[in-house]
Amino acid sequence: MPPRRSYDQYCSAARALDVVGDRWTLLIVRELLAGPRRYTDLHADLPGVSTDVLASRLKDMERDGLSTRRRLPPPGAAFVYELTPRGRELLPVIQALGEWGRSGLGERRPTDAVRAHWFALPLLRLLDEEGLVEVRLEEGLFHLHAGAEEGPVYGDGPAPGEPDARLALDTATCTAIARGELSLAHAVRAGRVEVSGEGALAKALREA
Protein backbone atom coordinates (compact mmCIF):
# COMPACT_ATOMS: atom_id res chain seq x y z
CA MET A 1 0.00 0.00 0.00
CA PRO A 2 1.42 3.44 -0.90
CA PRO A 3 2.29 5.77 1.98
CA ARG A 4 -0.48 8.02 3.21
CA ARG A 5 -0.48 11.49 1.72
CA SER A 6 -0.03 14.27 4.23
CA TYR A 7 -0.32 18.03 4.38
CA ASP A 8 2.87 17.93 6.50
CA GLN A 9 1.53 20.65 8.77
CA TYR A 10 1.85 20.53 12.55
CA CYS A 11 -1.82 21.31 13.07
CA SER A 12 -4.53 19.05 14.47
CA ALA A 13 -6.98 20.01 11.70
CA ALA A 14 -4.39 19.15 9.05
CA ARG A 15 -3.62 15.85 10.78
CA ALA A 16 -7.32 15.01 10.84
CA LEU A 17 -7.67 15.82 7.14
CA ASP A 18 -4.67 13.60 6.40
CA VAL A 19 -6.92 10.73 7.55
CA VAL A 20 -10.46 11.72 6.54
CA GLY A 21 -9.95 14.42 3.94
CA ASP A 22 -10.12 12.18 0.88
CA ARG A 23 -13.36 12.14 -1.09
CA TRP A 24 -15.84 9.48 0.08
CA THR A 25 -14.12 8.69 3.40
CA LEU A 26 -16.59 10.53 5.64
CA LEU A 27 -19.54 9.20 3.67
CA ILE A 28 -18.23 5.67 4.22
CA VAL A 29 -18.09 6.50 7.93
CA ARG A 30 -21.69 7.71 7.70
CA GLU A 31 -22.71 4.32 6.32
CA LEU A 32 -20.68 2.37 8.89
CA LEU A 33 -22.34 4.25 11.74
CA ALA A 34 -25.21 1.86 11.00
CA GLY A 35 -23.05 -1.07 12.14
CA PRO A 36 -21.20 -3.77 10.19
CA ARG A 37 -21.76 -3.55 6.44
CA ARG A 38 -20.79 -5.80 3.55
CA TYR A 39 -18.85 -4.30 0.65
CA THR A 40 -21.82 -4.79 -1.68
CA ASP A 41 -24.12 -2.96 0.77
CA LEU A 42 -21.71 -0.06 1.02
CA HIS A 43 -21.40 0.19 -2.73
CA ALA A 44 -25.20 0.15 -3.14
CA ASP A 45 -25.66 2.96 -0.60
CA LEU A 46 -22.85 5.14 -1.96
CA PRO A 47 -24.12 5.82 -5.48
CA GLY A 48 -21.42 7.35 -7.63
CA VAL A 49 -18.40 5.72 -6.00
CA SER A 50 -16.35 3.40 -8.17
CA THR A 51 -15.43 -0.05 -6.94
CA ASP A 52 -11.72 0.83 -7.09
CA VAL A 53 -12.13 4.00 -5.04
CA LEU A 54 -14.34 2.29 -2.45
CA ALA A 55 -11.85 -0.56 -2.03
CA SER A 56 -8.98 1.92 -1.72
CA ARG A 57 -10.77 4.05 0.87
CA LEU A 58 -11.68 1.00 2.95
CA LYS A 59 -8.04 -0.13 2.96
CA ASP A 60 -6.94 3.38 3.98
CA MET A 61 -9.49 3.41 6.80
CA GLU A 62 -8.25 0.06 8.09
CA ARG A 63 -4.65 1.25 7.96
CA ASP A 64 -5.54 4.45 9.83
CA GLY A 65 -7.47 2.64 12.54
CA LEU A 66 -10.93 3.91 11.61
CA SER A 67 -12.43 0.57 10.62
CA THR A 68 -11.81 -3.16 10.68
CA ARG A 69 -12.71 -6.02 8.37
CA ARG A 70 -13.88 -9.39 9.66
CA ARG A 71 -15.66 -12.48 8.39
CA LEU A 72 -19.10 -13.32 9.70
CA PRO A 73 -19.58 -16.84 11.07
CA PRO A 74 -21.53 -19.39 8.99
CA PRO A 75 -24.04 -19.42 7.43
CA GLY A 76 -23.27 -15.80 6.47
CA ALA A 77 -19.52 -16.26 5.99
CA ALA A 78 -19.27 -12.83 4.31
CA PHE A 79 -16.71 -10.15 5.11
CA VAL A 80 -18.06 -7.03 6.79
CA TYR A 81 -16.54 -3.67 7.60
CA GLU A 82 -17.20 -1.87 10.87
CA LEU A 83 -15.97 1.19 12.69
CA THR A 84 -13.44 1.07 15.47
CA PRO A 85 -14.07 3.22 18.57
CA ARG A 86 -11.84 5.88 16.97
CA GLY A 87 -13.91 5.76 13.80
CA ARG A 88 -17.13 6.11 15.78
CA GLU A 89 -15.72 9.27 17.36
CA LEU A 90 -16.34 10.90 13.97
CA LEU A 91 -20.11 10.93 14.65
CA PRO A 92 -20.15 14.51 16.04
CA VAL A 93 -17.87 15.60 13.19
CA ILE A 94 -20.32 14.30 10.59
CA GLN A 95 -23.26 15.76 12.50
CA ALA A 96 -21.55 19.16 12.63
CA LEU A 97 -20.82 19.00 8.89
CA GLY A 98 -24.44 18.06 8.24
CA GLU A 99 -25.70 20.97 10.30
CA TRP A 100 -23.31 23.36 8.56
CA GLY A 101 -24.28 22.04 5.13
CA ARG A 102 -28.05 21.88 5.56
CA SER A 103 -28.51 25.37 4.12
CA GLY A 104 -27.04 24.05 0.88
CA LEU A 105 -29.60 21.27 0.47
CA GLY A 106 -32.11 23.41 -1.39
CA GLU A 107 -34.63 21.58 -3.53
CA ARG A 108 -33.83 18.01 -4.46
CA ARG A 109 -32.30 17.82 -7.94
CA PRO A 110 -33.41 15.21 -10.48
CA THR A 111 -29.93 13.67 -10.31
CA ASP A 112 -29.88 13.45 -6.49
CA ALA A 113 -29.95 9.95 -5.03
CA VAL A 114 -31.72 9.47 -1.72
CA ARG A 115 -31.84 6.74 0.91
CA ALA A 116 -34.25 6.77 3.84
CA HIS A 117 -31.45 6.27 6.36
CA TRP A 118 -29.66 9.42 5.19
CA PHE A 119 -32.23 11.30 7.28
CA ALA A 120 -31.16 9.38 10.39
CA LEU A 121 -28.33 11.65 11.52
CA PRO A 122 -30.25 14.93 11.06
CA LEU A 123 -33.09 13.47 13.15
CA LEU A 124 -30.69 12.13 15.75
CA ARG A 125 -29.43 15.65 16.46
CA LEU A 126 -32.96 16.66 17.49
CA LEU A 127 -33.62 13.89 20.02
CA ASP A 128 -32.79 14.83 23.60
CA GLU A 129 -33.96 11.63 25.27
CA GLU A 130 -32.21 8.27 25.04
CA GLY A 131 -33.98 5.36 23.43
CA LEU A 132 -34.73 3.28 20.37
CA VAL A 133 -36.75 5.07 17.69
CA GLU A 134 -38.35 3.61 14.58
CA VAL A 135 -38.94 6.03 11.70
CA ARG A 136 -41.21 5.43 8.73
CA LEU A 137 -40.78 7.49 5.57
CA GLU A 138 -42.14 7.05 2.07
CA GLU A 139 -38.64 5.91 1.01
CA GLY A 140 -38.44 3.24 3.67
CA LEU A 141 -38.07 2.33 7.31
CA PHE A 142 -35.08 2.88 9.57
CA HIS A 143 -34.33 3.10 13.27
CA LEU A 144 -32.18 5.23 15.56
CA HIS A 145 -30.33 4.50 18.80
CA ALA A 146 -30.61 7.92 20.44
CA GLY A 147 -28.00 8.54 23.10
CA ALA A 148 -26.11 5.29 22.43
CA GLU A 149 -22.44 5.64 23.38
CA GLU A 150 -21.31 2.53 21.52
CA GLY A 151 -22.61 0.19 18.85
CA PRO A 152 -24.67 1.21 15.80
CA VAL A 153 -26.13 4.70 15.74
CA TYR A 154 -28.90 3.79 13.30
CA GLY A 155 -29.93 0.99 10.99
CA ASP A 156 -32.13 0.13 8.02
CA GLY A 157 -35.43 -1.60 8.56
CA PRO A 158 -37.57 -2.02 11.67
CA ALA A 159 -36.18 -1.54 15.16
CA PRO A 160 -34.46 -4.61 16.64
CA GLY A 161 -36.91 -4.85 19.53
CA GLU A 162 -39.79 -2.80 20.86
CA PRO A 163 -38.98 0.85 20.16
CA ASP A 164 -39.42 3.59 22.73
CA ALA A 165 -41.06 5.70 20.02
CA ARG A 166 -42.32 5.32 16.48
CA LEU A 167 -42.32 8.30 14.12
CA ALA A 168 -44.23 8.44 10.84
CA LEU A 169 -43.77 11.41 8.52
CA ASP A 170 -43.71 12.23 4.85
CA THR A 171 -40.61 13.09 2.89
CA ALA A 172 -41.50 16.78 2.61
CA THR A 173 -41.67 17.09 6.39
CA CYS A 174 -38.45 15.16 6.91
CA THR A 175 -36.71 17.27 4.28
CA ALA A 176 -37.88 20.49 5.96
CA ILE A 177 -36.55 19.22 9.27
CA ALA A 178 -33.23 18.21 7.70
CA ARG A 179 -32.89 21.66 6.09
CA GLY A 180 -33.57 23.39 9.42
CA GLU A 181 -36.79 24.97 8.17
CA LEU A 182 -38.96 23.09 10.66
CA SER A 183 -38.19 21.83 14.15
CA LEU A 184 -39.21 18.34 15.16
CA ALA A 185 -41.27 19.71 18.03
CA HIS A 186 -43.20 22.05 15.73
CA ALA A 187 -43.75 19.24 13.23
CA VAL A 188 -45.21 17.04 15.98
CA ARG A 189 -47.48 19.82 17.25
CA ALA A 190 -48.65 20.55 13.71
CA GLY A 191 -49.57 16.92 13.17
CA ARG A 192 -46.95 16.47 10.46
CA VAL A 193 -45.15 13.82 12.51
CA GLU A 194 -47.20 11.03 14.03
CA VAL A 195 -45.70 9.81 17.32
CA SER A 196 -46.67 6.52 18.91
CA GLY A 197 -45.21 4.51 21.78
CA GLU A 198 -45.20 4.66 25.55
CA GLY A 199 -41.51 5.19 26.21
CA ALA A 200 -40.08 8.33 27.78
CA LEU A 201 -38.85 9.48 24.40
CA ALA A 202 -42.32 9.25 22.82
CA LYS A 203 -43.87 11.10 25.75
CA ALA A 204 -41.22 13.85 25.56
CA LEU A 205 -41.89 14.34 21.85
CA ARG A 206 -45.65 14.57 22.37
CA GLU A 207 -45.21 17.05 25.21
CA ALA A 208 -42.58 19.23 23.54
Side-chain angles (χ1 to χ4, degrees):
M1 185 178 294
R4 182 175 68 194
R5 291 177 296 176
S6 174
Y7 287 103
D8 291 326
Q9 296 179 11
Y10 192 69
C11 161
S12 59
R15 288 287 195 266
L17 289 172
D18 284 345
V19 178
V20 300
D22 283 327
R23 190 168 185 232
W24 295 106
T25 300
L26 285 176
L27 293 184
I28 296 171
V29 173
R30 179 196 67 190
E31 295 302 312
L32 292 180
L33 285 166
R37 304 289 302 277
R38 296 179 303 173
Y39 179 90
T40 51
D41 296 329
L42 287 171
H43 191 257
D45 282 335
L46 290 166
V49 69
S50 71
T51 55
D52 288 346
V53 168
L54 178 57
S56 175
R57 294 295 180 271
L58 287 168
K59 287 179 182 177
D60 290 344
M61 289 172 64
E62 285 187 75
R63 175 189 59 193
D64 295 329
L66 300 181
S67 66
T68 60
R69 178 176 178 261
R70 64 180 172 89
R71 184 186 289 275
L72 294 175
F79 282 104
V80 293
Y81 298 86
E82 57 191 331
L83 293 177
T84 62
R86 178 164 173 76
R88 198 181 186 282
E89 289 174 357
L90 286 165
L91 171 60
V93 175
I94 292 177
Q95 288 183 301
L97 280 172
E99 187 168 4
W100 180 80
R102 66 186 184 183
S103 62
L105 278 175
E107 294 299 322
R108 182 179 167 190
R109 298 170 296 198
T111 55
D112 281 341
V114 67
R115 302 287 188 272
H117 68 258
W118 291 349
F119 291 105
L121 297 184
L123 281 176
L124 191 69
R125 289 200 309 265
L126 306 176
L127 298 173
D128 297 325
E129 299 284 336
E130 295 183 6
L132 179 61
V133 183
E134 189 175 276
V135 183
R136 183 177 296 278
L137 297 179
E138 294 159 348
E139 281 83 4
L141 191 67
F142 64 90
H143 56 275
L144 306 169
H145 299 272
E149 295 184 0
E150 57 184 29
V153 175
Y154 68 89
D156 275 319
E162 184 62 25
D164 298 285
R166 287 186 173 90
L167 308 182
L169 60 162
D170 60 28
T171 302
T173 299
C174 200
T175 300
I177 292 171
R179 290 201 298 236
E181 300 167 355
L182 180 68
S183 72
L184 182 57
H186 279 107
V188 172
R189 286 198 295 268
R192 296 181 63 177
V193 176
E194 180 183 339
V195 181
S196 59
E198 297 304 321
L201 200 153
K203 293 177 181 177
L205 287 170
R206 286 194 289 262
E207 295 169 1

